[in-house]
């Protein structure tokens, strides 16, 4: 683990190491299912170009290898500390290209806050299954974690971008979170919750909608600031709050 990531991970507020970065909202992918007498083979991205090949009506049945690739690409389960779909801590940049196709990847320096950056690779930009890999170093041969998830990604418990505050309470039990309107506003504290096993490997940040802030300005003002608030506060119930940001660590 490089020095910068280690410093951030050992910071006093461990759940706030991924500030708001890049684009948070990702458009949902529309799925149209047309009735047909028999299912057609799903398109497979080319490992070299990322291009999608549209099978013809007479396309041959998928091979076992093709079905395996398709299953990996459709896996949008995030297990903090373990994997992001088919991506694990030992996945390399080359392996990422084989999985998702070169055309669907973009290497970038990702801002980590306070002017610091880490090497990253954006996967499937602007898609519901988008995410950004954060590498341990410039060699891009080991995964430290990921952020900027699209709406398709979910933990095994069903938590992801867009999860409501009420649903979060059902899954976590009572929890604490930091007040809004500062660098780490809306960060959820997983320690001593039903998902405390993810403490230090899963970062969740919530935010209210603009409409609810305008509708209930006094309630919003009551939960602003660099301090912890209980999720049971009636001020939160008056606001429409959803998970706005999710990030995970894979590196031990």
């Amino acid at each position: 683990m490089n020095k910068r990531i280690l410093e951030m991970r050992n910071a006093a507020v461990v759940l706030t190491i991924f500030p708001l970065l890049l684009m948070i909202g990702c458009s949902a992918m529309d799925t149209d299912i047309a009735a047909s007498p028999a299912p057609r083979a799903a398109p497979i991205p080319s490992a070299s170009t990322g291009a999608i090949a549209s099978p013809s009506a007479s396309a041959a049945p998928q091979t076992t290898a093709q079905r395996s690739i398709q299953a990996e690409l459709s896996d949008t389960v995030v297990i903090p500390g373990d994997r992001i779909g088919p991506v694990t801590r030992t996945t390399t940049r080359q392996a990422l290209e084989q999985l998702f196709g070169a055309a669907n990847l973009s290497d970038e320096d990702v801002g980590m806050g306070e002017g610091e950056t880490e090497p990253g690779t954006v996967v499937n930009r602007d898609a519901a299954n988008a995410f950004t890999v954060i590498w341990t170093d410039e060699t891009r041969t080991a995964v430290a974690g990921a952020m900027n998830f699209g709406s398709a990604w979910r933990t095994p418990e069903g938590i992801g971008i867009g999860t409501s505050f009420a649903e979060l309470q059902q899954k976590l039990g009572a929890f604490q979170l930091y007040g809004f309107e500062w660098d780490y506003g809306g960060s959820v504290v997983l320690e001593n919750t039903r998902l405390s096993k993810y403490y230090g490997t899963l970062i969740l940040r919530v935010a209210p909608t603009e409409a609810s802030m305008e509708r209930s300005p006094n309630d919003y003002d009551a939960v602003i600031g660099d301090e912890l608030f209980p999720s049971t506060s009636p001020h939160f119930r008056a606001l429409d709050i959803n998970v706005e940001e999710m990030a995970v660590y894979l590196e031990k």
Side-chain angles (χ1 to χ4, degrees):
M1 182 184 299
N2 67 39
K3 181 180 179 182
R4 175 59 185 166
I5 292 179
L6 182 60
E7 289 173 350
M8 289 187 293
R9 192 167 187 178
N10 291 333
V13 186
V14 69
L15 295 183
T16 58
I17 47 86
F18 284 101
L20 285 174
L21 303 168
L22 306 176
M23 181 183 67
I24 297 300
C26 293
S27 60
M29 298 178 71
D30 294 328
T31 304
D32 295 324
I33 302 178
S36 59
R40 296 177 61 185
I44 301 295
S46 164
S48 59
T49 66
I52 301 297
S54 298
S56 65
S58 59
Q62 288 182 314
T63 65
T64 300
Q66 287 174 322
R67 286 194 296 271
S68 176
I69 292 173
Q70 191 65 30
E72 287 184 316
L73 295 180
S74 63
D75 182 356
T76 53
V77 175
V78 177
I79 303 180
D82 186 18
R83 66 182 180 88
I84 305 121
V87 177
T88 68
R89 64 179 62 90
T90 59
T91 298
T92 64
R93 175 61 171 75
Q94 182 179 4
L96 203 66
E97 183 173 320
Q98 292 172 346
L99 280 168
F100 297 97
N104 298 316
L105 306 181
S106 176
D107 291 334
E108 299 179 2
D109 288 331
V110 181
M112 305 297 289
E114 300 180 356
E116 298 290 337
T117 63
E118 293 294 343
T121 299
V122 180
V123 181
N124 298 329
R125 189 191 301 274
D126 298 335
N129 61 344
F131 65 105
T132 299
V133 171
I134 305 300
W135 304 98
T136 58
D137 55 44
E138 292 289 349
T139 65
R140 288 181 164 82
T141 55
V143 178
M147 58 195 296
N148 297 335
F149 287 97
S151 58
W153 294 94
R154 289 288 185 273
T155 69
E157 298 77 18
I159 297 172
I161 303 303
T163 296
S164 70
F165 196 79
E167 185 178 357
L168 205 57
Q169 279 193 302
Q170 290 176 353
K171 297 180 185 300
L172 300 182
F175 62 91
Q176 291 184 306
L177 67 156
Y178 283 89
F180 303 116
E181 295 288 347
W182 68 294
D183 288 348
Y184 303 130
S187 295
V188 173
V189 178
L190 295 180
E191 191 175 22
N192 298 320
T193 70
R194 292 171 187 160
L195 293 183
S196 58
K197 64 182 179 180
Y198 293 148
Y199 181 69
T201 59
L202 173 64
I203 295 89
L204 297 172
R205 297 182 67 186
V206 299
T209 63
E210 291 287 343
S212 67
M213 287 189 290
E214 294 174 0
R215 184 181 64 244
S216 305
N218 293 335
D219 289 299
Y220 179 67
D221 290 343
V223 288
I224 287 177
D226 178 6
E227 60 179 297
L228 285 170
F229 294 90
S231 63
T232 54
S233 168
H235 298 297
F236 290 122
R237 290 199 298 271
L239 301 168
D240 295 329
I241 300 174
N242 302 288
V243 173
E244 182 182 62
E245 186 177 1
M246 180 172 72
V248 297
Y249 273 118
L250 297 189
E251 195 179 30
K252 295 294 187 183

